[in-house]
Structures are given as structure tokens and as C-alpha cells.
Amino acid sequence: GTTPTNGDPDMGELNRNLIRWIVRNKRRPANFEDFAATAGAPIPPAPPGKKYVLGANMHVQLVNQ
């Protein structure tokens, strides 16, 4: 995955990994930490002052901490 010039992580790649996780585990993760703990793929660090959350639509989102 490429890093966008603004330094934010590749959210498209994270979301593709999330979809693969759901297919593999046949369930939705309880929260981002649940996904990240068993993602089987590197999770780029969130930008300073931000954190990852799972949106209601099962998309990874960045929010302010």
C-alpha cells in the first residue's frame, strides 16, 4: 500500500483487510481493537491525535482522540 502525501494511513487498504477479516472469521469484530489484534496484517499507526474506530457501516474511520 502507498501512503498518501498527507501522511494519513491507507484507509482503503485497512478496509480491505477488515473485509477479509470478516470473511475469515464469519463475524464482525466487536471493535477496532478486536480486529487489529488478529488482523494478520500490519496496522499503520494512526496519525498523532487520532485513533481508529469501526463505523456503523463496518468501515475503519479515523477520529480525534
Side-chain angles (χ1 to χ4, degrees), residues 10-25 27-44 52-54 58-61:
D10 184 343
M11 300 304 286
E13 182 66 17
L14 270 174
N15 281 300
R16 285 188 292 277
N17 287 334
L18 175 62
I19 298 301
R20 285 193 284 265
W21 190 100
I22 292 169
V23 169
R24 190 171 70 236
N25 292 281
R27 68 178 179 93
R28 291 177 165 201
N31 50 39
F32 185 80
E33 289 71 27
D34 184 25
F35 159 65
T38 56
I43 306 286
Y52 294 117
V53 297
L54 289 184
M58 276 294 117
H59 266 62
V60 181
Q61 300 169 327

